[in-house]
Amino acid sequence: MRFDLKVIASWVEEGARVLDLGCGTGSLLEHLVKDKGVRGTGIEHDEEKVGKGIGRGLAVVHGDLVEEIGDYPDGQFDYVILSQTLMQVADPAGLIRRMLRVGRRGIVSFPNFARLGNRMHLLMRGRAPVSRNLPYEWYDTPNIRVITLADFRRFCRVQGFAIQREEAVISLDPAEGRTVRFWPNLRATHGIYMLGD
Amino acid sequence: MSEYTEADSWGGSVGRVETRFYTFGEAEPFWLECGRELSPVTVAYETYGELSPAGDNAVLLCHALTGDAHAAGYHHETDAKPGWWDIYVGPGKPVDTDRYFVICSNVLGGCMGSTGPASQKPGSDEFWGLDFPVVTIGDQVRAQKRLVEHLGVERLLAVVGGSVGGMQVLELSLRYPEMVRGACCLATTAEHSALAIAFNETARQAILADPNWNGGDYHGGPMPDFGLAVARMIGHITYLSDEAMRRKFGRRLQDRCAPSYNLEADFQVESYLRYQGRKFTARFDANSFLYLTKAADYFSISQAWGNGSLVAAFERAMARFLVVSFTSDWLYPTAQSRDLVKAMKKNGLEVSFMEIAADCGHDAFLLPNHRLAHLIASFLESTKEGRG
């Protein structure tokens, strides 16, 4: 499992109700359901990934996460997770507000665009950064925006989302990583945030 | 349900099977939703596999409109084709008969062994015909419940069905919520659209317009085969898709190089539909077709269980659900499955949904599809494990 997902999993307590937006093939959900007795549901738009998730015995709904989240009743979940998908969402504030409507807490993770490697890439080569964590060329990326830790904190302040927990991590190898406390916006590859009202 | 099945691609066969019959209601009448009573009631059924000592491995299969109890295996060594869902039901197959006790019954009102308009009236040698009371999907699943109980099953691990069979799955999960652990609804809908009712009505009118139909009283005389064949042709068109028909037939001519300039079946698609229509009359009863299409048209779980609201209807459900639709199904399009899923989500039910890309129309659930096979197998397994 990806390192940022491991961090997210560690934040979810046993038996919680979890909605995983853009759950992919369901590796995080499967871990939460099997090892933590979580009642989990995923939403995924890719047919093949949905098939794999249901194939793992998980409850997965095939559809667009922004639309699908609207159907759940208020407070249906303890956690609503959006891992590394915020960059692809047209209305991030609207989506996070919806997450906090159907869940007590939202957990959001994203690659940090402001990390030193990216800054150097732009500074030295004068080109849009392409890295292991942002592996797309400008013309073929699914990401419609780039996010930095500093930007996200400011966004939460402006929008009124309380950050209840945060972790900046360096994870160069997908499965490995460590927490970074010193100059996170310069050093972290990813930011992981727990939001509440 | 389509006439075609293709060779299976995984697992084995359940082998020789026999249709059996369960009759109930001799002592006390079986009351129908229309207010009339029926007794006795016979249900034709088949079972495959063994019921576990704990009684926790029973899977009920619900057939589509004109299907029957013969879901898997062969009746005779000389049978050209196995049961209607042999691709999915058997040892090692998605509905694994080594692991599950599988039950399939012919619906009430059908003509393949269960009591219906083609049955003889009790204590008489007359056929029911149009004297047969109108049955609903609700009546059909009440009869199914009686059968399941008769077989010693208190709780079903899962109910699986496509099309009208999917309606039975939905009805069972709402009528007997404590009885259904898993509900697998394939290519189905919470209620017929005006389009679906319109096709059914056109098909019914084809039967009613056949002079041999004779007000439903045709037994012993010439059968309304022409009307029934046209009804089947109409139905068959709705089970296919534009793409599937284009691929299968295009505008190719049948056994000729040029148009006949008369009303013969010039095109392959015409010839195919005529063949399917004719073939259908050999195995199906015209009155039964009228009753079953009507039952499907009447079906509306929002009306029956939610006072008009689909969300309210699912308040009573307790099962975990798997809903599957197919991209090219224009009879019960994906939007109708999404309505079901939405109502389930709003009630906090555990639901999985997938729209499978398939270009063969409504009939896709009857054709070999590895993705569907995997979904069904996983759903049954995780329901059994109580996971999710």
Side-chain angles (χ1 to χ4, degrees), chain B residues 15-330:
Chain B
R16 279 281 288 277
V17 293
E18 199 183 330
T19 304
R20 284 177 286 168
F21 303 91
Y22 168 57
T23 300
F24 62 89
E26 287 107 331
E28 83 296 356
F30 185 66
W31 287 97
L32 300 170
E33 230 170 291
C34 66
R36 288 175 62 189
E37 60 180 76
L38 195 61
S39 70
V41 176
T42 297
V43 178
Y45 70 97
E46 292 185 7
T47 66
Y48 325 103
E50 300 288 331
L51 185 62
S52 65
D56 61 355
N57 70 335
V59 175
L60 178 69
L61 302 181
C62 299
H63 68 71
L65 187 68
T66 59
D68 55 27
H70 184 37
Y74 295 84
H75 284 157
H76 307 287
E77 282 162 18
T78 53
D79 283 356
K81 282 180 179 173
W84 59 269
W85 226 32
D86 196 81
I87 302 162
Y88 289 87
V89 182
K93 290 178 181 175
V95 183
D96 189 345
T97 52
D98 286 339
R99 303 179 60 194
Y100 307 119
F101 176 58
V102 182
I103 308 163
C104 182
S105 68
N106 182 220
V107 292
L108 186 66
C111 57
M112 316 296 260
S114 292
T115 302
S119 314
Q120 283 181 326
K121 284 184 192 172
S124 135
D125 51 7
E126 278 179 48
F127 291 92
W128 272 107
L130 289 201
D131 287 342
F132 192 74
V134 168
V135 294
T136 62
I137 302 279
D139 295 328
Q140 292 172 342
V141 307
R142 284 195 303 125
Q144 274 170 327
K145 179 170 187 267
R146 295 287 285 265
L147 169 69
V148 165
E149 285 170 346
H150 165 72
L151 295 171
V153 176
E154 283 176 21
R155 199 158 178 233
L156 291 159
L157 171 66
V159 193
V160 184
S163 190
V164 177
M167 296 180 188
Q168 294 156 35
V169 174
L170 291 167
E171 179 72 21
L172 271 160
S173 69
L174 296 182
R175 189 174 285 266
Y176 307 114
E178 70 297 332
M179 194 178 170
V180 180
R181 288 177 64 193
C184 177
C185 318
L186 312 174
T188 195
T189 180
E191 61 187 17
H192 267 183
S193 62
L195 181 80
I197 296 172
F199 278 120
N200 273 351
E201 173 59 7
T202 311
R204 283 190 294 265
Q205 287 298 329
I207 292 171
L208 305 189
D210 189 321
N212 289 345
W213 180 66
N214 191 31
D217 184 16
Y218 48 77
H219 294 280
M223 305 294 267
D225 285 349
F226 181 74
L228 182 59
V230 174
R232 180 59 172 185
M233 289 164 75
I234 293 163
H236 207 96
I237 295 166
T238 67
Y239 307 150
L240 303 176
S241 70
D242 181 33
E243 289 156 280
M245 290 173 93
R246 204 193 309 256
R247 193 181 55 232
K248 199 165 179 178
F249 311 108
R251 289 180 51 83
R252 285 189 294 278
L253 301 177
Q254 178 78 26
D255 302 330
R256 68 189 75 221
C257 304
S260 66
Y261 296 106
N262 61 34
L263 297 179
E264 285 175 34
D266 288 330
F267 294 100
Q268 279 183 7
V269 65
E270 292 174 285
S271 161
Y272 171 81
L273 284 176
R274 288 187 187 189
Y275 167 73
Q276 292 295 352
R278 261 198 319 276
K279 200 168 78 166
F280 187 62
T281 60
R283 71 172 182 89
F284 216 81
D285 173 64
N287 286 333
S288 192
F289 191 92
L290 300 176
Y291 278 77
L292 295 184
T293 52
K294 206 70 188 172
D297 289 349
Y298 281 140
F299 178 72
S300 167
I301 47 176
S302 57
Q303 290 298 328
W305 300 107
N307 217 356
S309 156
L310 196 55
V311 177
F314 277 98
E315 277 174 17
R316 42 188 299 117
M318 292 162 70
R320 65 196 296 259
F321 288 87
L322 170 65
V323 178
V324 178
S325 71
F326 297 91
T327 47
S328 55
D329 184 348
W330 60 291

Side-chain angles (χ1 to χ4, degrees), chain A residues 2-193:
Chain A
R2 260 180 13 221
F3 182 74
D4 62 313
L5 297 181
K6 286 181 196 166
V7 174
I8 291 172
S10 75
W11 288 3
V12 174
E13 63 263 14
E14 301 249 337
R17 297 162 303 161
V18 172
L19 176 65
D20 188 359
L21 301 174
C23 65
T25 60
S27 54
L28 172 64
L29 266 184
E30 186 180 43
H31 166 71
L32 290 173
V33 168
K34 279 192 177 161
D35 300 343
K36 289 201 156 181
V38 156
R39 274 191 60 193
T41 284
I43 296 174
E44 172 59 45
H45 69 88
D46 182 273
E47 184 188 322
E48 195 169 330
K49 290 177 180 168
V50 173
K52 286 188 177 147
I54 299 174
R56 286 173 149 166
L58 302 168
V60 180
V61 172
H62 186 192
D64 175 74
L65 62 93
V66 177
E67 278 175 34
E68 295 295 330
I69 193 175
D71 299 333
Y72 293 103
D74 294 359
Q76 175 71 24
F77 301 98
D78 297 308
Y79 297 95
V80 181
I81 297 168
L82 183 72
S83 85
Q84 301 208 26
T85 306
L86 195 64
M87 311 82 78
Q88 297 161 24
V89 173
D91 174 17
L95 179 61
I96 291 174
R97 227 167 265 126
R98 286 171 171 215
M99 289 168 64
L100 294 176
R101 177 185 72 77
V102 303
R104 275 195 306 125
R105 293 184 175 129
I107 298 177
V108 176
S109 77
F110 53 84
N112 175 29
F113 195 71
R115 65 179 289 258
L116 186 61
N118 288 343
R119 297 189 194 193
M120 292 307 287
H121 200 293
L122 191 60
L123 185 69
M124 303 304 289
R125 303 176 70 177
R127 286 172 48 198
V130 176
S131 67
R132 205 189 300 260
N133 290 306
L134 278 166
Y136 304 103
E137 293 284 356
W138 63 270
Y139 50 82
D140 72 350
T141 175
N143 303 329
I144 57 173
R145 55 173 54 79
V146 291
I147 309 163
T148 74
L149 303 191
D151 279 335
F152 188 73
R153 269 193 227 107
R154 181 167 173 275
F155 162 82
C156 287
R157 198 170 59 239
V158 170
Q159 296 292 334
F161 304 132
I163 296 174
Q164 299 183 335
R165 200 166 172 178
E166 65 177 291
E167 196 101 40
V169 300
I170 296 179
S171 168
L172 294 169
D173 183 4
E176 303 294 324
R178 63 191 165 85
T179 301
V180 42
R181 298 194 196 288
F182 188 61
W183 281 352
N185 198 41
L186 195 62
R187 296 171 64 212
T189 55
H190 296 87
I192 308 166
Y193 293 81

